[in-house]
Amino acid sequence: MQGVKKQHLPSKTCPICNRPFAWRKKWEKNWDQIIYCGEKCRRSKYVFGGGY
């Protein structure tokens, strides 16, 4: 991912809040395993239809 502009970063959609989230440097080694946009959505992963 070195030398990639912010506009071209890969993104995913969070299954809890249905919001898109972009690749982050701290997720570089395990981007394929990242499912949720943040800690709040990860904690509420058993609440279907939106966590907020």
Side-chain angles (χ1 to χ4, degrees):
M1 294 301 301
Q2 191 171 10
V4 178
K5 294 189 178 188
K6 288 186 178 184
Q7 301 95 331
H8 305 310
L9 292 175
S11 64
K12 294 183 179 182
T13 302
C14 178
I16 300 297
C17 64
N18 293 318
R19 293 181 182 179
F21 62 97
W23 181 91
R24 294 183 187 174
K25 179 70 175 172
K26 68 179 182 177
W27 294 335
E28 182 176 23
K29 294 180 181 173
N30 60 349
W31 175 246
D32 293 333
Q33 289 83 35
I34 301 296
I35 300 172
Y36 307 105
C37 63
E39 194 65 28
K40 188 171 184 179
C41 285
R42 189 181 66 79
R43 286 187 190 138
S44 63
K45 61 186 170 185
Y46 299 111
V47 178
F48 299 105
Y52 300 120

